[in-house]
Amino acid sequence: MPEIVIDKLSKSFANAHAVRDVSLTVKAGSFTCILGPSGCGKTTLLRMIAGLEEASAGQIRIGGRLVDDPVQGTFVPPEQRGVGLVFQSYALWPHMTVVQNVEFGLRLQRLDASARRARTRAMLDTLRITELADRYPAHLSGGQQQRVALARTLALAPQVLLLDEPLSNLDASLRLAMRAELARLHREFGTTIVFVTHDQWEAMTLATDIAVLAEGEVQQTGSASTIYDRPTTRFVAEFIGSPPINILPAGSPAAMSLIPQGVPERDQITVGLRPEAVRISDRSAPGSLSATVTAVLPTGGSWIVETAVQADGIGVVCTTLSRPIFVPMQPVFLEPQNDGMHLFGPNGRRLSDFPSNLMETS
Amino acid sequence: MLRRISTYRLRLLQDPVLALGLVLLALFVWLIALPIVMILQDAFTSQPGDGAKTRAADGAMTSYYITRALASRMSGIIFFAPLWNTLVVAVSAAGMALMIGAGLAWMLVRSDLPMRGWFSVALLIPYMLPVWTFALAWVTLFKNTTQGGQPGWMQALGAETPDWLAYGMVPTIIILTLHYIPFAILIIGGALRRVDGQLEEAAQMLGARRWAILWRVTVPVMRPAVLSAGLLMFADAIGEFSVPYILGLPVQFETLSVSLFRAISTQQNGMAAVYATVVLLIGVITLGIDTWMLREVHRFATIGGKGTTSRTSPLRGARWLLFGAVALLFVVSVILPLATLILSTLMEIPGRFSPDNFTLDYWIGRSLPTVAMTSGILLAPEFWHAAWNSLRIAGMAALAAGCLGLLVGYVVARSPWRWLAVSLRGVTFLPYLVPGIAFAAAILMLFAVPRGPVPALYGTPWILLLALVADQMPFSSRVGISAMAQLGSDIEDAARMMGAGMLHRMRAIILPILNGALATAVLLSFISGIKGVSLFILLAVPSTDVLTTFSLRLVDYGYAQAANAVVLVISMLALLGSFAIHRLAGPVFAQGWGR
């Protein structure tokens, strides 16, 4: 169960920086997610950990061992890193059966036939694909293919398991099943798992630790709840959460009315409101915003109420678990709850926890 | 900083992909780029023995050859007439094939023509046969007294054919048109199939009538494919050698490629280099236009749409009339030439259809009353020697080109240096710009004398083999590149993660997955090697004859029946190979490569 330490890692291709100055520590035995929008450099980062790409600058250490450092000229090839990678496309070899796919790495390790067969059988059993042993990948469903890819990688007992978008190619019910499966494998094998995804649901439900990456830089690290409850940048606040956080632009009447008098540079502050932290009421209360309902949308277990703030027409989306009593065009009052309200300065950084605290610091 | 870059570079040099790429690049620069550069250079250098005319030392710069071709008393005869002939033949053949092919493609794809499924395979046969099959059939039918030897059938039946019908430009244009029609059908029909039927339905919903839809929607969307097909046929016709060679001599009709051949065979290397340069220039310009237009095609990205259902248009009253016309084309372009050739090898005296005139002597006879070729073709050792050469050279070249193409694809897909990928792709594509005979001239000039560690290869099978490999590289490298692009890198990285080295990955992962593409590429190259003539005619000597050059030699010596028999054997091999590919990989000819 090694720890992975990434220090000031950069990767540039011909004319673009894919990863810029990333520092990150993946705790031993953790289930860490690198989360970010597509094109943010997360797959490049994963491939550098795997050893499929070489860093342009910076260091990677796996379990204390330096595996990549262009300054010292150190580069440990992928097969000597004790790392396994499951590709997003699964990359099963189409001309080999399931058994042959799983055996491939063991053959390379020159394991004798009986040990190889035993190990292969054990892996197929663990991933519950024993009955698929002699099929070709083309005849497997997406979920089955992923199990084979996992078995193929786990057969070599890697100390670190890397997964590229592990759930993205699966349909909704399969994702739940696979999620449980990955959690079970994590418990059983105790390996350090790092996976990348652009899907916040995948990240929040699977990972013990999340690192949010944008434009090649780490924005925030922490547990799922930390990142949701205390986003350190406006980007993280907007990227995580569905429906996304409501943004009241700096200087708008709605934003100004929520920031207490006396806070310095009030008109420079952007306000973010989590949809579930806005209570809708038909009665006015201190600090509430008057708005008009524009739409009421059922989403199954909950409802989305879309409103427009009367002062400046800014849209504010609210979610509620109980059936709303409001109808479109109805005037209402929005009461933001403090724990779902986030303030960001002009540089996009989080200011502090609550407006009341801001008052004290000023 | 400096140290960092140097260690990074150093490690890159140990990358086997780079090593492989650099080796391949060196090989193709030597085999492809060097000969072309040399022939361009030869057009401006005084050739050995020409000192008196060029007034320059051997190897010194001279404009003698260019001046002689372009601005001398002889220019009209030795240069402008062949140039004019070449252009007229290429434009007419490409233009007519385009018009007829477009009509046929529309009928085969979009109409209710009877038996269109059968026709869409049957009408492709002329493209699978060597083109001079038709020239030999034409001579057999229309030969007149202008040329000595045995009479043509028309003459034997009492009708003296005029020279303009028997030889020269008219039959050359007709034959090339018949040969290219299948190519036009393939390209235009393929594009027509991919036009999204919804485009036309959208126009229909807006109230456009059938003809308005055809003219305002379908034709404009198809335009890039049609123009591209036309240019490719034109470029191919520019370099066509065998047909004008066979049909032109009796009336002194020459195209540039024939002039090039005559210049080489009379030791006028400087003039040959000029012809080759001109042919090469026309080819480069044409394909440059084509590439430029293909870039424009991106505006028509809808062509690559889902290819949804398209309705067929009823031909109504004209249905059976058009069926008759299409059937007639099939008879004229397939049945008639093949039947003529077959019958010609079975008749003692050409054109006399009496039972006692039929004989198998030309196939299996012994002690025939001729000076040479005293036994039937199947009993002649020269034939079996040429057949063995053909199989061996075409087979080895096809295998080599297929494997090299795959390696090129591998390096192009995996090279960390972009310039290496770009230059490998470019240099392997070069021979496509150069007509076979000009490329053969270039190869000949490079390998006729010993250069460095390479001995003189003229007169050995090696020169044919090397020329064929180089000539097939544009096609095989494209197959390799697109196959590797489809394969993606994950599948190989997965093996690399487990410690499989490059050779192991090639053997265990890449080759088994791509063996279908490889087999198709090898087989296609093999067929063009078996039926190709313009590449070999300059390079083969009697002892290294392949079937095609053997057959042309027989034509030169007046053994028409034997020549026809050999061509029939080549046709049979080509047809068998084509159908094998058809079974193996579907209609790959649709890509318009194997030339």
Short mmCIF file of all heavy atoms in Angstrom, two decimals, chain A residues 133-151:
data_model
loop_
_atom_site.label_atom_id
_atom_site.label_comp_id
_atom_site.label_asym_id
_atom_site.label_seq_id
_atom_site.Cartn_x
_atom_site.Cartn_y
_atom_site.Cartn_z
N ALA A 133 -14.92 -17.41 -19.47
CA ALA A 133 -13.49 -17.65 -19.70
C ALA A 133 -13.11 -17.79 -21.17
O ALA A 133 -12.10 -17.24 -21.60
CB ALA A 133 -13.04 -18.88 -18.93
N ASP A 134 -13.91 -18.51 -21.97
CA ASP A 134 -13.48 -18.81 -23.33
C ASP A 134 -14.12 -17.90 -24.38
O ASP A 134 -14.04 -18.16 -25.57
CB ASP A 134 -13.78 -20.27 -23.65
CG ASP A 134 -12.92 -21.18 -22.79
OD1 ASP A 134 -11.73 -20.85 -22.60
OD2 ASP A 134 -13.46 -22.18 -22.28
N ARG A 135 -14.78 -16.83 -23.91
CA ARG A 135 -15.39 -15.92 -24.88
C ARG A 135 -14.37 -14.90 -25.36
O ARG A 135 -13.39 -14.62 -24.70
CB ARG A 135 -16.55 -15.18 -24.22
CG ARG A 135 -17.64 -16.13 -23.82
CD ARG A 135 -18.94 -15.71 -24.41
NE ARG A 135 -20.00 -16.06 -23.48
CZ ARG A 135 -20.97 -15.24 -23.16
NH1 ARG A 135 -21.00 -14.02 -23.64
NH2 ARG A 135 -21.91 -15.64 -22.34
N TYR A 136 -14.67 -14.33 -26.53
CA TYR A 136 -13.86 -13.22 -27.04
C TYR A 136 -14.49 -11.90 -26.62
O TYR A 136 -15.71 -11.82 -26.45
CB TYR A 136 -13.75 -13.30 -28.57
CG TYR A 136 -12.79 -14.37 -29.02
CD1 TYR A 136 -13.24 -15.65 -29.32
CD2 TYR A 136 -11.44 -14.11 -29.11
CE1 TYR A 136 -12.36 -16.65 -29.70
CE2 TYR A 136 -10.54 -15.09 -29.49
CZ TYR A 136 -11.01 -16.36 -29.78
OH TYR A 136 -10.13 -17.35 -30.16
N PRO A 137 -13.67 -10.86 -26.45
CA PRO A 137 -14.19 -9.57 -25.96
C PRO A 137 -15.38 -9.04 -26.76
O PRO A 137 -16.27 -8.42 -26.20
CB PRO A 137 -12.98 -8.64 -26.10
CG PRO A 137 -11.81 -9.52 -25.96
CD PRO A 137 -12.20 -10.84 -26.58
N ALA A 138 -15.38 -9.31 -28.08
CA ALA A 138 -16.47 -8.78 -28.90
C ALA A 138 -17.82 -9.32 -28.46
O ALA A 138 -18.86 -8.73 -28.73
CB ALA A 138 -16.22 -9.12 -30.37
N HIS A 139 -17.81 -10.47 -27.77
CA HIS A 139 -19.08 -11.07 -27.36
C HIS A 139 -19.44 -10.77 -25.91
O HIS A 139 -20.24 -11.47 -25.31
CB HIS A 139 -19.04 -12.59 -27.59
CG HIS A 139 -18.78 -12.95 -29.01
ND1 HIS A 139 -17.83 -13.85 -29.41
CD2 HIS A 139 -19.34 -12.46 -30.14
CE1 HIS A 139 -17.81 -13.92 -30.72
NE2 HIS A 139 -18.72 -13.09 -31.19
N LEU A 140 -18.80 -9.75 -25.34
CA LEU A 140 -19.08 -9.39 -23.95
C LEU A 140 -19.76 -8.04 -23.89
O LEU A 140 -19.55 -7.18 -24.74
CB LEU A 140 -17.77 -9.32 -23.15
CG LEU A 140 -16.89 -10.57 -23.11
CD1 LEU A 140 -15.64 -10.28 -22.31
CD2 LEU A 140 -17.66 -11.73 -22.51
N SER A 141 -20.58 -7.84 -22.87
CA SER A 141 -21.20 -6.53 -22.66
C SER A 141 -20.16 -5.58 -22.06
O SER A 141 -19.08 -6.00 -21.63
CB SER A 141 -22.38 -6.67 -21.72
OG SER A 141 -21.91 -6.96 -20.42
N GLY A 142 -20.51 -4.30 -22.00
CA GLY A 142 -19.59 -3.31 -21.46
C GLY A 142 -19.15 -3.63 -20.04
O GLY A 142 -17.97 -3.57 -19.71
N GLY A 143 -20.10 -4.02 -19.21
CA GLY A 143 -19.78 -4.32 -17.82
C GLY A 143 -18.87 -5.54 -17.70
O GLY A 143 -17.91 -5.55 -16.91
N GLN A 144 -19.15 -6.55 -18.54
CA GLN A 144 -18.31 -7.76 -18.52
C GLN A 144 -16.90 -7.44 -18.99
O GLN A 144 -15.91 -7.91 -18.42
CB GLN A 144 -18.93 -8.84 -19.40
CG GLN A 144 -20.22 -9.40 -18.83
CD GLN A 144 -20.97 -10.25 -19.84
OE1 GLN A 144 -20.84 -10.07 -21.04
NE2 GLN A 144 -21.77 -11.18 -19.34
N GLN A 145 -16.82 -6.59 -20.04
CA GLN A 145 -15.49 -6.22 -20.53
C GLN A 145 -14.69 -5.52 -19.45
O GLN A 145 -13.49 -5.75 -19.30
CB GLN A 145 -15.63 -5.27 -21.74
CG GLN A 145 -16.10 -5.97 -22.98
CD GLN A 145 -16.04 -5.06 -24.19
OE1 GLN A 145 -15.30 -4.09 -24.21
NE2 GLN A 145 -16.83 -5.37 -25.20
N GLN A 146 -15.37 -4.68 -18.68
CA GLN A 146 -14.64 -3.97 -17.64
C GLN A 146 -14.13 -4.93 -16.57
O GLN A 146 -13.02 -4.77 -16.06
CB GLN A 146 -15.52 -2.92 -16.99
CG GLN A 146 -14.71 -2.09 -16.03
CD GLN A 146 -15.50 -0.96 -15.48
OE1 GLN A 146 -16.66 -1.13 -15.14
NE2 GLN A 146 -14.88 0.19 -15.39
N ARG A 147 -14.95 -5.94 -16.25
CA ARG A 147 -14.49 -6.92 -15.26
C ARG A 147 -13.25 -7.65 -15.78
O ARG A 147 -12.31 -7.91 -15.03
CB ARG A 147 -15.60 -7.94 -14.97
CG ARG A 147 -16.65 -7.39 -14.06
CD ARG A 147 -17.93 -8.21 -14.16
NE ARG A 147 -19.00 -7.50 -13.48
CZ ARG A 147 -19.29 -7.69 -12.20
NH1 ARG A 147 -18.61 -8.55 -11.49
NH2 ARG A 147 -20.25 -7.01 -11.64
N VAL A 148 -13.26 -7.98 -17.07
CA VAL A 148 -12.10 -8.67 -17.64
C VAL A 148 -10.87 -7.75 -17.56
O VAL A 148 -9.77 -8.19 -17.18
CB VAL A 148 -12.36 -9.08 -19.11
CG1 VAL A 148 -11.13 -9.73 -19.70
CG2 VAL A 148 -13.55 -10.02 -19.19
N ALA A 149 -11.08 -6.47 -17.90
CA ALA A 149 -9.95 -5.53 -17.85
C ALA A 149 -9.40 -5.43 -16.44
O ALA A 149 -8.19 -5.40 -16.22
CB ALA A 149 -10.38 -4.17 -18.37
N LEU A 150 -10.31 -5.41 -15.46
CA LEU A 150 -9.88 -5.36 -14.06
C LEU A 150 -9.12 -6.64 -13.69
O LEU A 150 -8.06 -6.58 -13.05
CB LEU A 150 -11.09 -5.20 -13.15
CG LEU A 150 -11.52 -3.76 -12.86
CD1 LEU A 150 -12.88 -3.73 -12.20
CD2 LEU A 150 -10.48 -3.08 -11.97
N ALA A 151 -9.68 -7.78 -14.10
CA ALA A 151 -9.04 -9.06 -13.76
C ALA A 151 -7.64 -9.12 -14.36
O ALA A 151 -6.68 -9.55 -13.72
CB ALA A 151 -9.89 -10.22 -14.29
#
